[in-house]
Amino acid sequence: MNEKRILNILSQVDEKYIKEAEPVIKTKNNKIQNKWTYIAACFITVAILITGVFQIGKLHTNKDIVILDSGEIITFYKSYINVSSLDANISIGKNLTAKEIKMLFEDLPVTAFSYFDSEHNNIVGLEGKINNIKIIISKSGTQLSDTEITGKEKASTVNGISVNAGYFISKANSNGIKTAIYYSSFMLKDNVIYLENAGVEEDIETLKNELAAVIQQLIQIGEFDLNILEHV
Amino acid sequence: MDDMQIIDLYWQRSETAISETSNKYGKYCHYIAFNILNNKEDSEECVNDTYMQAWNNIPPHRPSVLKTFLGKITRNLALDKYKYLTAKKRNNGHMPLIFEELKECLPTLDNTENIIDDITLTEILNRFLASLPAEKRKIFMRRYWYLSTIKEIAADYKMNESKIKMSLLRSRNELKKLLEKEGISL
Protein backbone atom coordinates (compact mmCIF):
# COMPACT_ATOMS: atom_id res chain seq x y z
CA MET A 1 0.00 0.00 0.00
CA ASN A 2 2.74 2.45 0.97
CA GLU A 3 4.79 1.75 -2.11
CA LYS A 4 1.73 2.73 -4.15
CA ARG A 5 1.63 5.97 -2.20
CA ILE A 6 5.23 6.75 -3.13
CA LEU A 7 4.45 6.05 -6.78
CA ASN A 8 1.41 8.33 -6.66
CA ILE A 9 3.16 11.16 -4.82
CA LEU A 10 5.97 11.04 -7.36
CA SER A 11 3.45 12.61 -9.77
CA GLN A 12 3.78 15.80 -7.74
CA VAL A 13 7.56 16.20 -7.85
CA ASP A 14 9.19 19.23 -9.39
CA GLU A 15 8.50 19.39 -13.14
CA LYS A 16 12.14 19.99 -13.95
CA TYR A 17 12.93 16.41 -12.90
CA ILE A 18 10.11 15.06 -15.05
CA LYS A 19 11.30 17.07 -18.03
CA GLU A 20 14.93 16.14 -17.45
CA ALA A 21 14.17 12.41 -17.68
CA GLU A 22 11.85 12.61 -20.69
CA PRO A 23 12.19 9.54 -22.89
CA VAL A 24 12.81 9.91 -26.58
CA ILE A 25 9.67 8.49 -28.15
CA LYS A 26 10.66 6.55 -31.23
CA THR A 27 8.86 7.39 -34.46
CA LYS A 28 9.42 6.22 -38.03
CA ASN A 29 11.62 9.27 -38.66
CA ASN A 30 13.68 8.34 -35.61
CA LYS A 31 14.21 4.87 -37.02
CA ILE A 32 15.46 6.20 -40.36
CA GLN A 33 17.66 8.67 -38.54
CA ASN A 34 18.89 5.87 -36.27
CA LYS A 35 19.97 3.85 -39.31
CA TRP A 36 22.18 6.72 -40.50
CA THR A 37 23.38 7.36 -36.96
CA TYR A 38 24.38 3.70 -36.78
CA ILE A 39 26.31 3.89 -40.04
CA ALA A 40 28.03 7.10 -38.89
CA ALA A 41 28.82 5.47 -35.54
CA CYS A 42 30.54 2.58 -37.35
CA PHE A 43 32.87 5.01 -39.13
CA ILE A 44 33.57 6.87 -35.88
CA THR A 45 34.30 3.61 -34.04
CA VAL A 46 36.80 2.60 -36.71
CA ALA A 47 38.45 6.03 -36.41
CA ILE A 48 38.62 5.78 -32.60
CA LEU A 49 40.09 2.27 -32.78
CA ILE A 50 42.78 3.43 -35.20
CA THR A 51 43.57 6.42 -32.98
CA GLY A 52 43.52 4.16 -29.90
CA VAL A 53 46.29 1.95 -31.31
CA PHE A 54 48.57 4.96 -31.29
CA GLN A 55 47.40 6.10 -27.84
CA ILE A 56 48.03 2.81 -26.02
CA GLY A 57 51.77 3.34 -26.06
CA LYS A 58 51.36 6.72 -24.40
CA LEU A 59 49.16 5.35 -21.62
CA HIS A 60 51.74 2.88 -20.48
CA THR A 61 54.28 5.60 -19.87
CA ASN A 62 51.99 7.44 -17.42
CA LYS A 63 52.39 6.27 -13.86
CA ASP A 64 52.40 7.71 -10.39
CA ILE A 65 53.91 6.21 -7.25
CA VAL A 66 53.51 6.28 -3.49
CA ILE A 67 56.31 5.06 -1.23
CA LEU A 68 54.94 3.45 1.92
CA ASP A 69 56.55 3.68 5.37
CA SER A 70 57.68 0.08 4.89
CA GLY A 71 59.64 1.13 1.80
CA GLU A 72 57.29 -0.72 -0.51
CA ILE A 73 56.01 1.14 -3.56
CA ILE A 74 52.48 1.26 -4.95
CA THR A 75 52.44 2.24 -8.60
CA PHE A 76 49.27 3.79 -9.99
CA TYR A 77 48.99 3.43 -13.75
CA LYS A 78 47.03 5.92 -15.78
CA SER A 79 44.11 3.86 -16.95
CA TYR A 80 40.68 3.74 -18.42
CA ILE A 81 37.63 3.32 -16.28
CA ASN A 82 35.38 0.75 -17.86
CA VAL A 83 31.79 0.04 -17.05
CA SER A 84 31.56 -3.60 -16.20
CA SER A 85 28.78 -6.07 -15.84
CA LEU A 86 27.12 -6.25 -12.44
CA ASP A 87 25.43 -9.20 -10.90
CA ALA A 88 21.70 -8.70 -11.06
CA ASN A 89 20.32 -10.88 -8.26
CA ILE A 90 21.63 -8.80 -5.40
CA SER A 91 19.69 -7.16 -2.63
CA ILE A 92 20.81 -4.66 -0.05
CA GLY A 93 21.02 -5.97 3.48
CA LYS A 94 21.37 -3.55 6.36
CA ASN A 95 23.83 -1.00 7.61
CA LEU A 96 26.66 -2.65 9.49
CA THR A 97 26.50 -2.31 13.25
CA ALA A 98 29.36 -0.80 15.25
CA LYS A 99 30.17 -4.30 16.49
CA GLU A 100 30.36 -5.73 12.98
CA ILE A 101 32.53 -2.83 11.82
CA LYS A 102 34.87 -3.33 14.76
CA MET A 103 35.14 -7.06 14.02
CA LEU A 104 35.90 -6.50 10.35
CA PHE A 105 37.82 -3.24 10.25
CA GLU A 106 39.13 -2.79 13.80
CA ASP A 107 39.50 0.99 14.35
CA LEU A 108 39.11 2.22 10.78
CA PRO A 109 36.29 4.82 10.48
CA VAL A 110 34.01 2.72 8.26
CA THR A 111 30.34 3.14 7.41
CA ALA A 112 28.92 0.41 5.19
CA PHE A 113 25.96 -1.72 4.23
CA SER A 114 25.87 -5.33 3.17
CA TYR A 115 24.78 -7.04 -0.04
CA PHE A 116 23.03 -10.39 -0.15
CA ASP A 117 22.30 -12.83 -2.90
CA SER A 118 18.54 -12.44 -3.24
CA GLU A 119 18.08 -16.05 -4.37
CA HIS A 120 19.95 -17.86 -1.61
CA ASN A 121 20.26 -15.13 1.02
CA ASN A 122 24.02 -15.57 1.20
CA ILE A 123 26.26 -12.61 1.97
CA VAL A 124 28.05 -11.53 -1.22
CA GLY A 125 29.75 -8.33 -0.12
CA LEU A 126 29.49 -4.85 1.29
CA GLU A 127 29.85 -1.27 0.18
CA GLY A 128 30.72 1.78 2.20
CA LYS A 129 33.13 4.56 2.97
CA ILE A 130 36.33 4.96 4.91
CA ASN A 131 36.32 8.73 5.41
CA ASN A 132 36.06 9.90 1.79
CA ILE A 133 37.25 6.65 0.25
CA LYS A 134 34.70 4.36 -1.32
CA ILE A 135 35.16 0.69 -0.47
CA ILE A 136 33.49 -2.31 -2.05
CA ILE A 137 34.29 -5.78 -0.81
CA SER A 138 32.88 -8.63 -2.83
CA LYS A 139 33.23 -12.35 -2.56
CA SER A 140 35.33 -13.72 -5.36
CA GLY A 141 33.17 -14.29 -8.44
CA THR A 142 30.64 -11.59 -7.54
CA GLN A 143 30.71 -8.29 -9.37
CA LEU A 144 29.53 -5.42 -7.16
CA SER A 145 31.59 -2.58 -8.57
CA ASP A 146 30.38 -0.86 -11.71
CA THR A 147 33.89 0.20 -12.69
CA GLU A 148 36.92 -1.84 -13.55
CA ILE A 149 40.53 -0.96 -14.16
CA THR A 150 42.00 -1.55 -17.57
CA GLY A 151 45.32 -0.48 -18.98
CA LYS A 152 47.39 -1.58 -15.98
CA GLU A 153 50.57 -3.45 -16.71
CA LYS A 154 52.15 -4.51 -13.43
CA ALA A 155 50.80 -5.08 -9.96
CA SER A 156 52.56 -3.66 -6.90
CA THR A 157 53.21 -5.80 -3.84
CA VAL A 158 52.29 -4.70 -0.33
CA ASN A 159 53.06 -7.03 2.54
CA GLY A 160 53.01 -9.95 0.12
CA ILE A 161 49.67 -9.01 -1.41
CA SER A 162 49.44 -8.20 -5.10
CA VAL A 163 47.81 -4.76 -5.52
CA ASN A 164 46.51 -3.35 -8.80
CA ALA A 165 46.28 0.42 -8.81
CA GLY A 166 45.38 3.09 -11.29
CA TYR A 167 44.20 6.61 -11.79
CA PHE A 168 41.98 8.44 -14.18
CA ILE A 169 41.63 12.17 -14.81
CA SER A 170 38.46 13.44 -16.42
CA LYS A 171 38.17 16.17 -19.01
CA ALA A 172 37.60 19.66 -17.60
CA ASN A 173 33.99 20.52 -16.77
CA SER A 174 32.36 23.83 -17.72
CA ASN A 175 34.24 25.52 -14.85
CA GLY A 176 37.57 24.16 -16.06
CA ILE A 177 37.81 21.70 -13.15
CA LYS A 178 39.10 18.17 -13.73
CA THR A 179 38.23 15.25 -11.48
CA ALA A 180 40.88 12.76 -10.47
CA ILE A 181 40.01 9.23 -9.40
CA TYR A 182 42.61 7.00 -7.78
CA TYR A 183 41.59 3.39 -7.33
CA SER A 184 42.93 0.06 -6.38
CA SER A 185 41.89 -3.56 -6.17
CA PHE A 186 43.40 -6.56 -4.49
CA MET A 187 42.39 -9.90 -3.05
CA LEU A 188 42.40 -10.85 0.60
CA LYS A 189 41.62 -14.56 0.92
CA ASP A 190 38.47 -15.07 -1.16
CA ASN A 191 37.36 -11.41 -1.11
CA VAL A 192 38.05 -8.77 -3.74
CA ILE A 193 38.66 -5.33 -2.23
CA TYR A 194 38.00 -2.30 -4.42
CA LEU A 195 38.92 1.19 -3.19
CA GLU A 196 38.31 4.52 -4.87
CA ASN A 197 39.29 8.05 -3.83
CA ALA A 198 38.01 10.90 -5.98
CA GLY A 199 38.49 14.65 -5.86
CA VAL A 200 39.65 17.65 -7.84
CA GLU A 201 42.84 17.31 -9.86
CA GLU A 202 44.69 19.77 -7.61
CA ASP A 203 44.38 17.31 -4.71
CA ILE A 204 45.94 14.31 -6.44
CA GLU A 205 48.80 14.05 -3.94
CA THR A 206 46.35 13.88 -1.04
CA LEU A 207 44.06 11.48 -2.91
CA LYS A 208 46.76 8.93 -3.68
CA ASN A 209 48.41 9.18 -0.25
CA GLU A 210 45.09 8.70 1.54
CA LEU A 211 44.32 5.74 -0.67
CA ALA A 212 47.76 4.19 -0.17
CA ALA A 213 47.39 4.53 3.62
CA VAL A 214 44.05 2.72 3.55
CA ILE A 215 45.41 -0.04 1.29
CA GLN A 216 48.19 -0.59 3.81
CA GLN A 217 45.83 -0.59 6.80
CA LEU A 218 43.41 -3.05 5.19
CA ILE A 219 46.19 -5.42 4.25
CA GLN A 220 47.52 -5.24 7.82
CA ILE A 221 44.07 -6.11 9.16
CA GLY A 222 44.12 -9.11 6.84
CA GLU A 223 41.37 -11.49 5.78
CA PHE A 224 37.76 -10.47 6.15
CA ASP A 225 35.18 -13.03 7.17
CA LEU A 226 32.00 -11.56 5.71
CA ASN A 227 29.96 -14.46 7.04
CA ILE A 228 29.82 -12.71 10.43
CA LEU A 229 27.35 -10.24 8.88
CA GLU A 230 23.74 -10.88 9.69
CA HIS A 231 20.93 -10.57 7.17
CA VAL A 232 18.08 -8.11 7.87
CA MET B 1 2.58 24.84 -33.46
CA ASP B 2 4.25 25.92 -30.23
CA ASP B 3 2.82 25.23 -26.78
CA MET B 4 1.65 28.80 -26.18
CA GLN B 5 -0.44 28.68 -29.36
CA ILE B 6 -1.97 25.34 -28.36
CA ILE B 7 -2.80 26.69 -24.90
CA ASP B 8 -4.36 29.76 -26.52
CA LEU B 9 -6.58 27.42 -28.56
CA TYR B 10 -7.81 25.85 -25.31
CA TRP B 11 -8.54 29.30 -23.93
CA GLN B 12 -10.43 30.19 -27.10
CA ARG B 13 -12.40 26.94 -26.63
CA SER B 14 -11.31 25.80 -30.09
CA GLU B 15 -11.55 22.05 -30.61
CA THR B 16 -8.41 22.25 -32.75
CA ALA B 17 -6.61 22.36 -29.40
CA ILE B 18 -7.28 18.64 -28.96
CA SER B 19 -6.02 17.62 -32.41
CA GLU B 20 -2.93 19.79 -32.05
CA THR B 21 -2.25 18.30 -28.61
CA SER B 22 -2.73 14.83 -30.03
CA ASN B 23 -0.35 15.52 -32.94
CA LYS B 24 2.35 16.91 -30.72
CA TYR B 25 2.05 14.91 -27.50
CA GLY B 26 -0.12 11.89 -28.31
CA LYS B 27 2.82 9.47 -28.51
CA TYR B 28 4.35 10.84 -25.32
CA CYS B 29 1.11 10.34 -23.39
CA HIS B 30 0.57 6.93 -24.94
CA TYR B 31 4.08 5.88 -23.89
CA ILE B 32 3.35 6.74 -20.25
CA ALA B 33 -0.07 5.08 -20.27
CA PHE B 34 1.16 1.92 -21.98
CA ASN B 35 4.05 1.48 -19.51
CA ILE B 36 1.46 1.33 -16.74
CA LEU B 37 -1.42 -0.44 -18.43
CA ASN B 38 0.36 -2.75 -20.85
CA ASN B 39 -2.63 -2.68 -23.18
CA LYS B 40 -3.08 -0.64 -26.36
CA GLU B 41 -6.83 -0.04 -26.09
CA ASP B 42 -6.75 0.85 -22.40
CA SER B 43 -3.85 3.21 -23.10
CA GLU B 44 -5.66 4.93 -25.95
CA GLU B 45 -8.70 5.40 -23.75
CA CYS B 46 -6.48 6.86 -21.08
CA VAL B 47 -4.85 9.28 -23.53
CA ASN B 48 -8.28 10.43 -24.76
CA ASP B 49 -9.29 11.01 -21.14
CA THR B 50 -6.11 13.08 -20.78
CA TYR B 51 -7.26 15.40 -23.58
CA MET B 52 -10.65 15.67 -21.90
CA GLN B 53 -9.08 16.63 -18.57
CA ALA B 54 -6.82 19.14 -20.28
CA TRP B 55 -9.90 20.62 -21.98
CA ASN B 56 -11.66 20.89 -18.62
CA ASN B 57 -8.67 22.40 -16.84
CA ILE B 58 -7.48 24.94 -19.43
CA PRO B 59 -8.83 27.51 -18.70
CA PRO B 60 -8.58 28.47 -15.88
CA HIS B 61 -5.20 26.74 -15.77
CA ARG B 62 -2.31 27.94 -17.95
CA PRO B 63 0.41 25.26 -17.66
CA SER B 64 3.98 26.49 -17.81
CA VAL B 65 5.12 23.27 -19.50
CA LEU B 66 2.30 21.68 -21.49
CA LYS B 67 4.12 18.40 -22.03
CA THR B 68 4.68 17.57 -18.36
CA PHE B 69 1.21 18.91 -17.53
CA LEU B 70 -0.27 16.33 -19.94
CA GLY B 71 2.17 13.65 -18.76
CA LYS B 72 1.08 14.10 -15.16
CA ILE B 73 -2.59 13.81 -16.08
CA THR B 74 -1.93 10.68 -18.14
CA ARG B 75 0.13 9.12 -15.38
CA ASN B 76 -2.51 9.77 -12.73
CA LEU B 77 -5.33 8.50 -14.95
CA ALA B 78 -3.36 5.40 -15.90
CA LEU B 79 -2.50 4.61 -12.27
CA ASP B 80 -6.20 4.92 -11.35
CA LYS B 81 -7.14 2.69 -14.25
CA TYR B 82 -4.41 0.23 -13.30
CA LYS B 83 -5.89 0.02 -9.80
CA TYR B 84 -9.33 -0.67 -11.28
CA LEU B 85 -8.01 -3.28 -13.73
CA THR B 86 -5.90 -5.00 -11.08
CA ALA B 87 -9.00 -5.40 -8.94
CA LYS B 88 -10.54 -7.17 -11.93
CA LYS B 89 -7.31 -9.14 -12.46
CA ARG B 90 -6.90 -7.73 -15.95
CA ASN B 91 -3.28 -6.62 -16.05
CA ASN B 92 -0.08 -8.54 -16.53
CA GLY B 93 2.48 -5.78 -17.09
CA HIS B 94 5.60 -5.00 -15.07
CA MET B 95 3.89 -2.87 -12.42
CA PRO B 96 3.99 -5.56 -9.70
CA LEU B 97 7.76 -5.62 -10.12
CA ILE B 98 7.95 -1.85 -9.74
CA PHE B 99 5.87 -2.02 -6.56
CA GLU B 100 8.18 -4.74 -5.23
CA GLU B 101 11.17 -2.50 -5.91
CA LEU B 102 9.56 0.48 -4.20
CA LYS B 103 8.86 -1.61 -1.12
CA GLU B 104 12.61 -1.54 -0.53
CA CYS B 105 12.42 2.24 0.00
CA LEU B 106 10.02 1.96 2.89
CA PRO B 107 11.49 2.81 6.28
CA THR B 108 11.66 -0.04 8.74
CA LEU B 109 10.63 2.29 11.56
CA ASP B 110 7.55 1.42 13.53
CA ASN B 111 6.41 4.99 13.97
CA THR B 112 2.72 5.18 13.22
CA GLU B 113 2.40 8.47 15.12
CA ASN B 114 4.54 10.23 12.56
CA ILE B 115 2.72 9.45 9.32
CA ILE B 116 3.38 12.34 6.99
CA ASP B 117 1.05 14.19 4.68
CA ASP B 118 1.37 14.26 0.90
CA ILE B 119 2.86 17.76 0.77
CA THR B 120 5.67 16.87 3.17
CA LEU B 121 6.34 13.62 1.33
CA THR B 122 6.53 15.51 -1.99
CA GLU B 123 8.98 17.95 -0.43
CA ILE B 124 11.14 15.05 0.80
CA LEU B 125 11.05 13.39 -2.62
CA ASN B 126 12.12 16.67 -4.24
CA ARG B 127 14.96 16.95 -1.77
CA PHE B 128 15.96 13.35 -2.44
CA LEU B 129 15.94 13.91 -6.22
CA ALA B 130 17.97 17.10 -5.86
CA SER B 131 20.60 15.16 -3.91
CA LEU B 132 21.13 12.58 -6.66
CA PRO B 133 23.67 13.05 -9.45
CA ALA B 134 21.89 13.93 -12.71
CA GLU B 135 22.34 10.56 -14.39
CA LYS B 136 21.20 8.57 -11.38
CA ARG B 137 18.20 10.90 -10.99
CA LYS B 138 17.19 10.49 -14.62
CA ILE B 139 17.38 6.72 -14.33
CA PHE B 140 15.28 6.84 -11.15
CA MET B 141 12.66 9.05 -12.81
CA ARG B 142 12.57 6.92 -15.95
CA ARG B 143 11.82 3.87 -13.83
CA TYR B 144 9.42 5.30 -11.25
CA TRP B 145 7.85 8.28 -13.00
CA TYR B 146 7.73 7.07 -16.59
CA LEU B 147 7.56 3.42 -15.46
CA SER B 148 9.95 2.42 -18.26
CA THR B 149 11.35 -1.09 -18.42
CA ILE B 150 14.94 -1.73 -17.35
CA LYS B 151 15.74 -2.90 -20.88
CA GLU B 152 14.50 0.31 -22.41
CA ILE B 153 16.30 2.55 -19.91
CA ALA B 154 19.51 0.62 -20.51
CA ALA B 155 19.14 1.07 -24.28
CA ASP B 156 18.39 4.80 -23.98
CA TYR B 157 21.30 5.49 -21.64
CA LYS B 158 23.68 3.16 -23.49
CA MET B 159 24.36 1.12 -20.36
CA ASN B 160 23.95 -2.53 -19.60
CA GLU B 161 20.88 -3.65 -17.67
CA SER B 162 22.79 -4.68 -14.57
CA LYS B 163 24.26 -1.20 -14.23
CA ILE B 164 20.77 0.31 -14.40
CA LYS B 165 19.56 -2.16 -11.77
CA MET B 166 22.47 -1.30 -9.52
CA SER B 167 21.89 2.43 -9.95
CA LEU B 168 18.23 1.97 -8.98
CA LEU B 169 19.15 -0.25 -6.06
CA ARG B 170 21.47 2.42 -4.68
CA SER B 171 18.94 5.20 -5.22
CA ARG B 172 16.24 3.22 -3.42
CA ASN B 173 18.63 2.63 -0.57
CA GLU B 174 19.40 6.35 -0.35
CA LEU B 175 15.69 7.18 -0.34
CA LYS B 176 15.10 4.68 2.42
CA LYS B 177 17.92 6.17 4.46
CA LEU B 178 16.51 9.67 3.99
CA LEU B 179 13.02 8.61 5.07
CA GLU B 180 14.45 6.86 8.11
CA LYS B 181 16.60 9.87 8.96
CA GLU B 182 13.49 12.04 8.88
CA GLY B 183 11.93 9.54 11.28
CA ILE B 184 8.74 9.23 9.32
CA SER B 185 6.35 6.50 8.34
CA LEU B 186 4.27 6.27 5.21
Side-chain angles (χ1 to χ4, degrees):
Chain A
M1 197 64 190
N2 293 332
E3 61 274 15
K4 288 181 183 167
R5 189 170 172 221
I6 288 189
L7 200 69
N8 284 323
I9 298 291
L10 264 172
S11 285
Q12 307 305 320
V13 297
D14 196 321
E15 288 193 353
K16 67 183 176 193
Y17 302 132
I18 303 168
K19 192 165 169 48
E20 178 187 55
E22 265 174 22
V24 178
I25 312 293
K26 291 180 179 62
T27 62
K28 280 184 182 174
N29 285 341
N30 284 135
K31 284 177 187 169
I32 293 166
Q33 195 182 0
N34 284 347
K35 187 175 138 191
W36 286 106
T37 308
Y38 177 76
I39 293 167
C42 288
F43 280 109
I44 292 166
T45 307
V46 170
I48 288 171
L49 284 173
I50 291 168
T51 313
V53 168
F54 294 103
Q55 294 293 323
I56 285 169
K58 287 183 189 174
L59 274 172
H60 291 174
T61 62
N62 291 320
K63 55 188 180 183
D64 200 353
I65 61 165
V66 174
I67 303 172
L68 304 176
D69 299 338
S70 60
E72 291 170 308
I73 296 172
I74 299 177
T75 308
F76 293 86
Y77 289 89
K78 188 170 185 179
S79 309
Y80 299 106
I81 290 182
N82 273 359
V83 172
S84 61
S85 186
L86 295 156
D87 285 344
N89 296 322
I90 290 168
S91 60
I92 288 181
K94 62 177 181 58
N95 293 331
L96 270 60
T97 62
K99 190 180 167 191
E100 287 169 334
I101 287 169
K102 180 83 179 164
M103 286 169 76
L104 288 173
F105 300 102
E106 298 181 356
D107 292 323
L108 279 175
V110 175
T111 53
F113 58 89
S114 53
Y115 283 116
F116 281 82
D117 172 347
S118 43
E119 270 183 41
H120 306 100
N121 252 4
N122 296 326
I123 178 83
V124 291
L126 59 84
E127 177 176 340
K129 290 248 176 186
I130 304 175
N131 292 326
N132 192 42
I133 298 173
K134 178 177 172 180
I135 177 169
I136 297 176
I137 301 181
S138 49
K139 285 204 165 179
S140 182
T142 308
Q143 181 70 38
L144 290 179
S145 170
D146 51 8
T147 53
E148 69 181 24
I149 307 166
T150 61
K152 61 185 183 291
E153 282 293 305
K154 294 175 192 167
S156 308
T157 304
V158 178
N159 212 5
I161 301 292
S162 183
V163 174
N164 292 319
Y167 71 98
F168 172 84
I169 295 177
S170 73
K171 287 181 182 170
N173 65 13
S174 55
N175 296 322
I177 297 169
K178 292 181 181 177
T179 302
I181 302 170
Y182 276 77
Y183 45 92
S184 171
S185 72
F186 49 95
M187 281 200 74
L188 289 176
K189 202 182 173 189
D190 60 346
N191 296 316
V192 179
I193 319 293
Y194 174 80
L195 298 167
E196 184 180 293
N197 200 12
V200 294
E201 191 192 18
E202 290 166 4
D203 294 337
I204 55 174
E205 286 301 314
T206 312
L207 294 174
K208 72 177 179 186
N209 287 326
E210 284 176 350
L211 184 59
V214 169
I215 292 169
Q216 202 175 12
Q217 285 168 302
L218 288 174
I219 289 175
Q220 276 168 3
I221 291 169
E223 299 163 356
F224 296 100
D225 181 9
L226 297 183
N227 294 320
I228 64 155
L229 300 177
E230 291 172 5
H231 200 347
V232 178
Chain B
M1 188 176 280
D2 69 33
D3 288 359
M4 290 303 289
Q5 289 173 309
I6 297 175
I7 292 167
D8 285 343
L9 288 173
Y10 278 102
W11 276 75
Q12 292 157 17
R13 309 314 286 158
S14 164
E15 287 177 15
T16 320
I18 304 288
S19 55
E20 290 296 335
T21 304
S22 172
N23 288 341
K24 195 166 180 184
Y25 296 121
K27 284 193 170 65
Y28 172 74
C29 293
H30 189 273
Y31 172 86
I32 296 169
F34 190 83
N35 279 346
I36 296 169
L37 298 169
N38 194 40
N39 178 288
K40 196 179 167 193
E41 287 74 30
D42 289 338
S43 302
E44 277 170 9
E45 194 182 323
C46 190
V47 172
N48 286 332
D49 290 346
T50 301
Y51 302 148
M52 187 55 70
Q53 272 214 17
W55 180 260
N56 291 335
N57 282 291
I58 313 173
H61 205 72
R62 189 174 273 279
S64 54
V65 184
L66 182 60
K67 192 174 186 179
T68 49
F69 173 79
L70 294 166
K72 277 185 186 181
I73 296 175
T74 308
R75 188 177 186 272
N76 289 336
L77 286 171
L79 286 173
D80 285 346
K81 197 168 186 70
Y82 171 81
K83 197 173 163 188
Y84 168 79
L85 293 173
T86 312
K88 292 188 172 296
K89 302 190 189 311
R90 259 194 58 206
N91 188 288
N92 58 357
H94 67 156
M95 290 299 285
L97 186 60
I98 287 183
F99 287 129
E100 277 302 311
E101 289 172 13
L102 282 173
K103 262 187 193 169
E104 292 174 22
C105 304
L106 301 178
T108 48
L109 304 171
D110 182 17
N111 190 3
T112 46
E113 283 178 9
N114 208 2
I115 294 174
I116 53 164
D117 56 79
D118 289 357
I119 294 171
T120 313
L121 184 54
T122 308
E123 187 269 322
I124 289 172
L125 286 172
N126 276 327
R127 205 148 28 94
F128 160 70
L129 290 169
S131 73
L132 293 177
E135 186 177 80
K136 220 168 159 184
R137 180 171 60 234
K138 284 192 259 184
I139 291 170
F140 185 89
M141 288 294 281
R142 275 298 297 275
R143 182 66 171 163
Y144 302 116
W145 203 96
Y146 288 99
L147 296 312
S148 302
T149 61
I150 300 282
K151 188 178 176 183
E152 192 180 8
I153 302 170
D156 285 355
Y157 287 95
K158 313 272 186 295
M159 294 178 186
N160 59 38
E161 290 183 33
S162 55
K163 186 166 170 61
I164 299 291
K165 283 180 188 172
M166 187 54 79
S167 170
L168 290 168
L169 183 73
R170 288 182 175 141
S171 297
R172 291 195 300 269
N173 194 40
E174 281 165 34
L175 177 56
K176 182 179 179 177
K177 276 183 189 166
L178 179 62
L179 292 170
E180 285 182 346
K181 191 179 159 195
E182 297 283 335
I184 52 171
S185 293
L186 298 177

